[in-house]
Amino acid sequence: MQSKADGTVGKALAVLELVAGFERPVRFSELQGTSDYPKATLYRLLQTLTKQRMLSYDPDSGTYTLGVRLVCLAHAAWKTSSLAPIARPYMDKLSEKTGETVHLAQLDHAQVIYVDKRNASQPLPMYSEAGKVGPAYCTGVGKAMMAYLPEDQLADVLAQQSWHRFTDGTLAEEDALRAELVAIRERGHAYDREEHEPGIICVAVPIRNDSGRVLGALSITSSTLRSSLDKLDSFVPLIRDTTNQIARETQNWRFPETKATA
Amino acid sequence: MQSKADGTVGKALAVLELVAGFERPVRFSELQGTSDYPKATLYRLLQTLTKQRMLSYDPDSGTYTLGVRLVCLAHAAWKTSSLAPIARPYMDKLSEKTGETVHLAQLDHAQVIYVDKRNASQPLPMYSEAGKVGPAYCTGVGKAMMAYLPEDQLADVLAQQSWHRFTDGTLAEEDALRAELVAIRERGHAYDREEHEPGIICVAVPIRNDSGRVLGALSITSSTLRSSLDKLDSFVPLIRDTTNQIARETQNWRFPETKATA
DNA sequence: AAATACGGTTCCACTATATGAAACTAAAAT
DNA sequence: ATTTTAGTTTCATATAGTGGAACCGTATTT
């Protein structure tokens, strides 16, 4: 089983993720094959989730898919939990000014999650790339965020990296990365020097609140064909400006009515 | 209590939705105020969800928000459960050809959920947004889908409508709506004659699979200032074409490998 | 046509889990 | 110093989940 599923909800969520993993409508038997829950248990779990509309069941084909309630919740999540709704107008502006791909990412567990994105050319519909996860140790946003993590958290995150060598440039060991993080703190922004995907480069700046806590990161990404680190460098003041504005707005927003008693 | 929450997962999900409802980071006590779960129960539920990363807890402020795991699942849901990924290229084409706002919606419970959207070349401000839900009885997509529901399901859906009179044109009672549904079946598409928002009109066509089951609906929306029902009417063949193509592709896609045994 | 295998669903005795009133702790307000 | 508020833990009890096995309908084989 993929993780320690304490409690019933844990199991239910594991099943949900199991269904999600297939990325297509899936039959009961297929699920049973990939799960070690006993048949009856799995069955009941699926039923519960279906009744709760977290899954939807197509009686024609006898398949389960992720339910719409999930999409609704996600809408709320996107609006609430992440920086996305605040950052949105700023990302638009940044995208317009630079003409390059803009990413908004947050750190979760030990991975980077892309919360929003602006494509270089076409305006993206909502969930297109948002929700994807990526490694922290070899992406601009990941490194930018890690650079400002308190030591205990950093150690925790570092311990969980896969250190897979995606390209020649990948910093595939802790020492090298720690050195890099120092450099990032010194200059205030991170680079991705084709460390994750060949030909893809970026600059990233962390978004931090007043107390210095890392909230997320913004990056501008391009390719070695179209641009260079030097060129991207010229965007840094603009990005930093944007991250600061976002950080400031976050402060107001997170406590809209601390004292409200109505 | 918002709904019959059978089982522990039901309760957990109710809590999740409770948090979602606030649309902002929320304190324990606030949640306690809006829920009738006893303190300890609510507390444990929150803890479980947090441990499962469906919620995230900010120790600085003592607030809960929807967690990233939700966003990840939603990403998968959007890609799998809905018509969205299939419909996407068709929506692009439709949007390009018509220059008007295009909506893709599905019916859930008794409500319409907007699964994807393309803005018009000059976008109008309006309610809908990807992930948002809306009423079924007074939207083009809602009526288009209801028109082709089997009677038992239809009755069920109708019974759950709020019948709020948003505008003068709103069909705010079952009889009127049923008559309208007959008309829709006769002509094969539905109109929204400013029934939900003043000045907003649309034509909608259902997406149905071979067996006639309603999968969703496509609509083209505009305003009375810019267009008219007559003008929108001219889009109908194009929309119908698109829905047919989407429906066809759905068939293939839902069983990518019925016989695969690897 | 009868026999069999398969995918899915239901049963039910058993027990792990969730429950919630109340007690407790820390911090803030008076 | 005392009270209130907000959040956390305890624990006996009850409830909800468990899973082996039996069951059922349909498709496949003989």
Side-chain angles (χ1 to χ4, degrees):
Chain A
M1 181 77 312
Q2 44 264 44
S3 62
K4 68 277 131 182
D6 69 321
T8 316
V9 273
K11 285 174 205 167
L13 291 172
V15 170
L16 211 56
E17 219 137 65
L18 194 63
V19 175
F22 277 84
E23 306 215 321
R24 63 176 174 80
V26 61
R27 279 226 171 67
F28 175 82
S29 51
E30 300 182 272
L31 291 168
Q32 211 209 142
T34 3
S35 153
D36 9 283
Y37 292 121
K39 224 202 314 195
T41 302
L42 180 61
Y43 180 73
R44 237 172 322 97
L45 244 20
L46 285 169
Q47 270 204 161
T48 307
L49 287 167
T50 304
K51 206 181 321 174
Q52 295 294 333
R53 299 183 307 125
M54 295 298 280
L55 290 178
S56 80
Y57 178 71
D58 178 356
D60 286 3
S61 59
T63 55
Y64 296 90
T65 48
L66 296 180
V68 281
R69 191 175 179 188
L70 213 47
V71 178
C72 293
L73 279 169
H75 184 236
W78 190 84
K79 278 180 48 178
T80 316
S81 95
S82 66
L83 294 169
I86 290 179
R88 192 201 250 270
Y90 297 106
M91 290 189 69
D92 286 335
K93 225 175 290 171
L94 202 55
S95 163
E96 198 185 317
K97 281 186 190 165
T98 62
E100 293 286 1
T101 302
V102 180
H103 280 124
L104 171 66
Q106 295 189 260
L107 202 58
D108 171 57
H109 217 203
Q111 290 193 301
V112 157
I113 166 166
Y114 293 99
V115 176
D116 206 351
K117 177 184 179 179
R118 291 292 175 282
N119 280 319
S121 50
Q122 68 183 56
L124 89 165
M126 203 154 151
Y127 294 116
S128 68
E129 287 288 342
K132 253 195 175 173
V133 295
Y137 67 99
C138 60
T139 55
V141 284
K143 293 192 295 178
M145 290 189 276
M146 281 197 281
Y148 293 91
L149 243 34
E151 175 53 33
D152 55 334
Q153 280 180 48
L154 177 60
D156 194 46
V157 169
L158 287 174
Q160 292 178 66
Q161 299 304 310
S162 71
W163 304 113
H164 175 72
R165 191 178 292 278
F166 288 98
T167 72
D168 293 344
T170 307
L171 300 173
E173 45 183 44
E174 183 165 337
D175 287 349
L177 186 60
R178 277 195 179 268
E180 166 86 337
L181 295 183
V182 172
I184 291 170
R185 266 194 300 276
E186 269 164 16
R187 82 171 91 88
H189 56 272
Y191 296 111
D192 173 354
R193 307 181 177 85
E194 308 184 54
E195 294 161 40
H196 185 31
E197 292 177 89
I200 301 293
I201 54 175
C202 91
V203 260
V205 179
I207 303 171
R208 306 198 300 148
N209 70 5
D210 282 358
S211 32
R213 254 169 60 94
V214 173
L215 304 175
L218 272 184
S219 74
I220 291 193
T221 306
S222 192
S223 73
T224 46
L225 298 171
R226 266 227 299 268
S227 191
S228 65
L229 285 181
D230 274 351
K231 273 195 210 158
L232 288 181
D233 233 20
S234 66
F235 292 138
V236 168
L238 190 59
I239 310 176
R240 172 122 0 121
D241 240 48
T242 310
T243 58
N244 286 340
Q245 285 176 286
I246 293 171
R248 194 171 327 122
E249 197 166 325
T250 310
Q251 306 288 118
N252 311 334
W253 169 78
R254 287 184 86 86
F255 311 104
E257 45 204 298
T258 318
K259 287 271 176 189
T261 332
Chain B
M1 175 78 317
Q2 43 263 44
S3 62
K4 68 278 130 179
D6 69 324
T8 317
V9 273
K11 286 173 204 167
L13 290 173
V15 170
L16 209 57
E17 218 135 66
L18 194 63
V19 175
F22 277 85
E23 306 215 319
R24 63 176 173 79
V26 61
R27 279 225 173 67
F28 176 81
S29 52
E30 299 183 272
L31 290 169
Q32 209 208 144
T34 2
S35 154
D36 11 279
Y37 292 121
K39 219 189 341 181
T41 302
L42 180 62
Y43 180 72
R44 235 172 322 98
L45 244 19
L46 285 169
Q47 270 203 160
T48 306
L49 287 167
T50 305
K51 206 181 320 171
Q52 296 293 335
R53 298 188 305 129
M54 295 296 281
L55 290 178
S56 80
Y57 178 71
D58 178 357
D60 286 3
S61 58
T63 56
Y64 296 90
T65 48
L66 296 181
V68 282
R69 191 175 179 188
L70 205 51
V71 178
C72 293
L73 279 170
H75 185 237
W78 191 87
K79 276 179 47 180
T80 317
S81 96
S82 67
L83 293 168
I86 290 179
R88 192 201 250 272
Y90 298 106
M91 290 189 69
D92 287 335
K93 227 175 290 171
L94 203 55
S95 161
E96 199 185 314
K97 282 186 190 166
T98 63
E100 293 286 0
T101 304
V102 180
H103 282 123
L104 171 66
Q106 293 188 262
L107 200 60
D108 172 57
H109 216 204
Q111 290 193 301
V112 157
I113 164 164
Y114 294 100
V115 176
D116 206 351
K117 177 182 180 178
R118 292 291 175 283
N119 279 318
S121 21
Q122 339 152 250
L124 319 151
M126 73 181 96
Y127 172 81
S128 68
E129 211 180 304
K132 254 194 174 175
V133 295
Y137 67 99
C138 61
T139 55
V141 283
K143 294 191 296 177
M145 289 188 278
M146 280 197 281
Y148 292 90
L149 244 35
E151 174 53 34
D152 55 333
Q153 279 181 48
L154 176 61
D156 195 47
V157 169
L158 286 173
Q160 293 176 66
Q161 300 304 309
S162 71
W163 306 112
H164 175 72
R165 191 179 291 279
F166 288 98
T167 72
D168 292 345
T170 307
L171 299 173
E173 46 184 43
E174 183 165 335
D175 289 347
L177 186 61
R178 278 197 180 266
E180 165 87 338
L181 295 183
V182 172
I184 291 169
R185 267 195 300 276
E186 270 164 18
R187 83 171 89 88
H189 56 272
Y191 297 111
D192 173 355
R193 306 180 178 86
E194 308 182 55
E195 295 161 39
H196 184 31
E197 292 179 272
I200 301 292
I201 54 175
C202 90
V203 261
V205 178
I207 303 173
R208 306 197 300 147
N209 70 4
D210 282 357
S211 31
R213 256 169 60 92
V214 174
L215 304 175
L218 272 184
S219 73
I220 292 196
T221 306
S222 191
S223 74
T224 47
L225 299 172
R226 266 226 297 266
S227 191
S228 65
L229 285 181
D230 274 351
K231 272 194 213 159
L232 289 181
D233 233 19
S234 66
F235 292 138
V236 168
L238 190 58
I239 311 177
R240 174 123 359 120
D241 241 47
T242 310
T243 57
N244 287 339
Q245 286 175 286
I246 293 172
R248 194 171 327 123
E249 195 166 328
T250 311
Q251 307 288 117
N252 312 333
W253 167 78
R254 288 182 87 87
F255 312 104
E257 46 205 298
T258 317
K259 288 270 176 191
T261 332

